[in-house]
């Protein structure tokens, strides 16, 4: 059995009522967990020197933000999936 959580709700958003959804499976230290997302646009391998500290977000930074990456002129927020979903894995979760 795989626990599945809607990421929008964890990030303070609302459940989407309609539309296609995608479930992404994350392999975390304490087990696997699924995250429901609206869409996946890209999967990338990053070098550590590409990641900027989350503190650059100022007051918007949270423990769920692992860092920032600039890609194709856009600022991409990297989520710390273990911080977001870590409590939803393992026995009794």
């Amino acid at each position: 059995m795989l626990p599945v959580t809607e990421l929008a709700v964890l990030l303070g958003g609302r459940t989407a009522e309609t539309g296609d959804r995608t479930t992404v499976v994350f392999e975390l230290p304490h087990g696997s967990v699924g995250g429901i997302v609206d869409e996946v646009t890209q999967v990338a391998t990053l070098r550590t020197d590409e990641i900027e500290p989350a503190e650059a977000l100022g007051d918007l930074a949270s423990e769920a933000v692992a860092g920032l990456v600039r890609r194709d002129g856009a600022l991409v927020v990297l989520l710390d999936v273990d911080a977001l979903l870590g409590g939803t894995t393992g026995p009794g979760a």
Side-chain angles (χ1 to χ4, degrees):
M1 185 180 290
L2 179 71
V4 177
T5 303
E6 189 156 3
L7 293 183
V9 173
L10 289 178
L11 295 169
R14 295 190 340 211
T15 300
E17 306 225 356
T18 61
D20 292 336
R21 309 300 300 283
T22 300
T23 301
V24 179
V25 177
F26 301 100
E27 299 293 332
L28 302 178
H30 304 292
S32 299
V33 65
I36 299 172
V37 299
D38 292 335
E39 68 178 312
V40 175
T41 57
Q42 182 180 30
V43 176
T45 301
L46 302 172
R47 296 184 322 268
T48 55
D49 65 335
E50 293 179 277
I51 302 172
E52 299 176 28
E55 290 79 30
L57 286 174
D59 291 342
L60 297 175
S62 75
E63 65 181 43
V65 176
L68 307 169
V69 175
R70 297 185 189 279
R71 283 280 167 127
D72 302 322
L75 187 63
V76 178
V77 177
L78 300 178
L79 297 177
D80 182 339
V81 178
D82 197 27
L84 274 174
L85 300 174
T88 62
T89 62

